[in-house]
């Protein structure tokens, strides 16, 4: 009985911790426009209803959602049923009249499936009146791909224009806008489009805050087979150039284009992980790969508004005796000496540099990394940044006083030194009770 109670209490505490982590994102996402693209393969899995219900949850939280559903696999099934073989060139379907009729059938099947799931409203809602409205329409104006390298792509097309006004009106009304990857010409023709091309163009046209690509691939990995959590545009280009998987290359191509044309962030997340959409959008580390125009994690000069985050980072280390205790007032007075590493609004590491210019020295202090983010070389990154800052100030030596981390600094080129090598001003402040060891490094 006691064990059951403790287990229930632990689950409750986990929920409270998760909710507290998610709450800033709930606030930040409200009123934003998110474009979400899903491959047609997802519709044929038992987990698909849960994914759609998660999208309904986003809408209920005030997020403006545009959902693009791929139909490739549904087209394949329809062609197979008719005994017709698919034809592709460079990953693009040759859409003749027979294939076009399959495209139309697949569109109807997919849109009706999604609409039926969204018509269930918000699952587990305390009110039976939690309806989710949807809107479909001819939002995409398309043109034919035409003949390329002697190959006639028939009714395969590309996006010519997005009807932003019509789509925005439906979003303003609180609808989830559903778009199938087809477009219509001013002359009434229907064209088969690539779903991710449509998603990218819609995100660009709407100036979406995010495009979330729910992918069938297992994700992006670097050359050491480590999962890649975030990429700048330059890094994404480099990864794309060496990526062998055609689908991933296409995703990266569209992601880079979307970011270059105004979409702030593109998320590539694995469909196979249950709840991946919510994990990506409402947790700090997410579960997929983020491609962004602005660095998701960067080092900058500390500001007075960072005091609360610095205290939260430093206090556990001060209580354990690793760092000297600093009051809020002292931090406020010395804030200009601090650099912080910020991860999506949270301070995950910091360090301070106190220059003694006349002695050609500077003290490195308060090098700290949040306990949940250790083991990813953040300490080394902060140290390297501090050393570059010292060089910028034309300082030749950096010293540190430590009681617990001597080995770490020695491994990074710091050498033991006597107290008398320190600047006179710093020696006067030395705490003999702590008996800190002195290490110094020439830059």
């Amino acid at each position: 009985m006691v064990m059951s109670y403790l287990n229930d209490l632990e689950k409750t505490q986990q929920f409270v911790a998760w909710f507290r982590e998610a709450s800033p994102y709930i606030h930040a996402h409200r009123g934003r426009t998110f474009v979400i693209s899903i491959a047609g393969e997802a519709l044929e899995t038992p987990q698909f209803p849960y994914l759609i219900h998660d999208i309904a949850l986003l809408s209920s939280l005030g997020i403006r959602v545009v959902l693009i559903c791929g139909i490739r696999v549904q087209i394949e099934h329809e062609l197979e049923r008719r005994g017709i073989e698919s034809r592709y060139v460079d990953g693009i379907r040759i859409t003749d009249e027979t294939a076009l009729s399959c495209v139309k059938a697949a569109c109807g099947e997919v849109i009706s499936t999604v609409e039926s799931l969204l018509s269930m409203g918000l699952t587990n809602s305390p009110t039976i009146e939690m309806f989710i409205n949807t809107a479909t329409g001819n939002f995409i104006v398309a043109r034919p791909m035409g003949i390329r390298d002697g190959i006639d792509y028939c009714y395969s097309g590309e996006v010519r224009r997005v009807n932003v006004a019509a789509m925005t009106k439906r979003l303003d009304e609180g609808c989830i806008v559903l778009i199938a990857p087809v477009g219509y010409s001013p002359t009434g023709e229907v064209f088969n489009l690539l779903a991710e091309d449509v998603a990218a163009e819609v995100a660009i046209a709407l100036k979406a805050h995010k495009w979330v690509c729910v992918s069938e691939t297992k994700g992006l990995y670097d050359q050491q087979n480590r999962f890649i959590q975030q990429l700048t545009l330059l890094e994404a280009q480099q990864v794309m150039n060496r990526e062998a998987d055609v689908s991933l290359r296409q995703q990266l191509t569209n992601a880079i284009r979307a970011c270059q044309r105004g979409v702030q962030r593109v998320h590539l997340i694995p469909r196979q992980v249950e709840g991946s959409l919510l994990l990506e959008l409402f947790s700090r580390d997410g579960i997929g790969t983020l491609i962004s125009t602005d660095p998701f994690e960067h080092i900058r000069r500390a500001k007075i508004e960072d005091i609360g985050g610095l205290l939260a980072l430093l206090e556990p280390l001060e209580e354990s005796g690793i760092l000297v205790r600093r009051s809020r007032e002292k931090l406020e007075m010395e804030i200009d000496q601090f650099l912080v590493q910020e991860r999506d609004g949270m301070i995950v590491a910091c360090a301070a540099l106190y220059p003694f210019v006349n002695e050609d020295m500077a003290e490195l202090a308060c090098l700290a990394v949040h306990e949940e983010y250790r083991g990813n070389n953040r300490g080394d990154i902060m140290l390297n940044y501090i050393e570059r800052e010292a060089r910028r100030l034309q300082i030749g030596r950096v010293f540190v006083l430590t009681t617990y981390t001597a080995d770490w600094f020695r491994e990074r080129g710091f050498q033991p030194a006597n107290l008398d090598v320190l600047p006179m001003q710093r020696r006067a402040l030395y705490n003999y009770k702590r008996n800190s060891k002195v290490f110094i490094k020439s830059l």
Side-chain angles (χ1 to χ4, degrees):
M1 189 73 175
V2 174
M3 185 62 69
S4 175
Y5 171 76
L6 291 176
N7 288 338
D8 290 342
L9 182 60
E10 183 179 355
K11 291 178 181 178
T12 301
Q13 291 172 338
Q14 288 173 349
F15 170 77
V16 170
W18 173 85
F19 196 79
R20 285 171 176 166
E21 181 181 355
S23 59
Y25 295 97
I26 295 172
H27 174 73
H29 295 338
R30 186 178 296 115
R32 302 281 195 177
T33 299
F34 290 4
V35 174
I36 302 172
S37 59
I38 304 172
E41 287 83 352
L43 278 79
E44 304 193 339
T45 66
Q47 293 79 26
F48 184 67
Y50 299 107
L51 176 58
I52 295 301
H53 293 156
D54 288 346
I55 291 172
L57 176 60
L58 299 185
S59 179
S60 74
L61 292 173
I63 297 172
R64 297 154 61 90
V65 177
V66 179
L67 177 59
I68 291 97
C69 296
I71 58 173
R72 179 181 294 237
V73 68
Q74 286 75 22
I75 298 171
E76 297 290 338
H77 292 337
E78 186 66 22
L79 287 169
E80 289 174 7
R81 189 180 67 80
R82 302 184 189 189
I84 300 171
E85 186 177 349
S86 297
R87 292 189 296 152
Y88 290 92
V89 176
D90 296 331
I92 300 173
R93 184 187 301 279
I94 306 297
T95 310
D96 57 19
E97 289 189 4
T98 303
L100 183 62
S101 67
C102 296
V103 170
K104 294 175 181 178
C107 281
E109 174 191 349
V110 168
I111 292 298
S112 62
T113 298
V114 173
E115 285 183 328
S116 67
L117 291 170
L118 289 172
S119 295
M120 296 171 64
L122 193 63
T123 57
N124 299 320
S125 172
T127 171
I128 60 174
E129 298 180 354
M130 192 63 231
F131 297 117
I132 302 295
N133 296 316
T134 64
T136 58
N138 56 342
F139 299 116
I140 308 299
V141 179
R143 56 175 170 245
M145 291 186 65
I147 300 172
R148 302 185 181 185
D149 296 326
I151 298 168
D152 188 352
Y153 285 87
C154 302
Y155 292 98
S156 290
E158 55 191 14
V159 178
R160 178 178 177 182
R161 180 168 52 84
V162 176
N163 191 337
V164 174
M167 205 177 297
T168 301
K169 183 175 184 295
R170 304 318 303 269
L171 290 171
D172 290 343
E173 293 169 353
C175 296
I176 292 179
V177 174
L178 302 180
I179 300 178
V182 296
Y184 307 91
S185 75
T187 57
E189 292 179 297
V190 181
F191 292 101
N192 179 31
L193 310 175
L194 292 173
E196 287 178 3
D197 285 353
V198 173
E201 291 299 328
V202 168
I204 292 166
L206 290 175
K207 298 180 173 60
H209 185 69
K210 293 181 186 290
W211 168 25
V212 183
C213 179
V214 184
S215 174
E216 292 300 304
T217 64
K218 294 183 179 180
L220 287 170
Y221 292 82
D222 63 18
Q223 292 172 305
Q224 285 73 46
N225 202 34
R226 296 173 300 192
F227 183 74
I228 301 173
Q229 285 190 305
Q230 66 254 1
L231 292 169
T232 63
L233 290 187
L234 178 59
E235 290 168 339
Q237 184 70 53
Q238 294 168 343
V239 172
M240 185 190 72
N241 290 339
R242 66 170 185 262
E243 181 58 57
D245 186 284
V246 175
S247 179
L248 277 173
R249 283 179 60 87
Q250 184 63 33
Q251 288 176 12
L252 285 169
T253 299
N254 280 317
I256 292 168
R257 179 163 56 91
C259 286
Q260 288 173 334
R261 295 178 59 187
V263 180
Q264 294 182 26
R265 295 182 174 185
V266 178
H267 301 253
L268 307 180
I269 64 173
R271 189 264 306 163
Q272 296 85 352
V273 177
E274 171 62 27
S276 59
L277 185 61
L278 301 182
L279 288 169
E280 181 69 12
L281 295 177
F282 295 102
S283 65
R284 185 165 288 108
D285 295 322
I287 197 170
T289 298
L290 169 68
I291 301 167
S292 63
T293 52
D294 60 318
F296 176 67
E297 184 173 323
H298 63 284
I299 296 174
R300 59 171 174 78
R301 182 72 59 182
K303 301 176 292 186
I304 197 69
E305 294 84 359
D306 298 320
I307 293 294
L310 283 169
L311 285 170
L313 180 63
L314 297 175
E315 282 176 350
L317 297 173
E318 292 172 352
E319 291 172 1
S320 64
I322 296 174
L323 294 179
V324 176
R325 188 175 297 277
R326 281 173 168 78
S327 65
R328 176 182 289 270
E329 291 75 17
K330 186 174 179 61
L331 278 175
E332 289 177 356
M333 292 175 58
E334 298 179 352
I335 194 67
D336 291 340
Q337 270 66 53
F338 278 80
L339 296 165
V340 296
Q341 188 176 31
E342 185 182 37
R343 181 177 176 82
D344 206 24
M346 175 185 177
I347 295 175
V348 297
C350 72
L353 184 70
Y354 297 89
F356 298 87
V357 178
N358 293 337
E359 291 85 354
D360 190 31
M361 300 179 76
E363 180 181 6
L364 164 62
C366 287
L367 178 56
V369 179
H370 193 284
E371 62 179 356
E372 294 181 7
Y373 293 93
R374 293 170 191 162
N376 291 310
N377 297 320
R378 287 186 173 84
D380 289 294
I381 292 170
M382 289 301 300
L383 176 59
N384 291 338
Y385 202 96
I386 283 288
E387 290 178 358
R388 289 200 301 271
E389 182 69 9
R391 292 190 189 98
R392 186 185 69 80
L393 297 173
Q394 297 182 337
I395 289 173
R397 294 175 295 169
V398 173
F399 67 88
V400 62
L401 280 71
T402 181
T403 55
Y404 281 80
T405 54
D407 287 346
W408 192 88
F409 284 105
R410 295 195 68 170
E411 290 167 6
R412 285 151 182 82
F414 284 78
Q415 299 298 321
N418 295 322
L419 183 62
D420 57 11
V421 305
L422 300 185
M424 182 70 70
Q425 182 182 353
R426 183 62 184 87
R427 267 184 281 166
L429 298 174
Y430 183 79
N431 186 341
Y432 286 91
K433 186 175 180 180
R434 279 182 62 84
N435 194 29
S436 301
K437 292 183 177 181
V438 179
F439 292 87
I440 192 165
K441 181 178 181 179
S442 297
L443 303 179

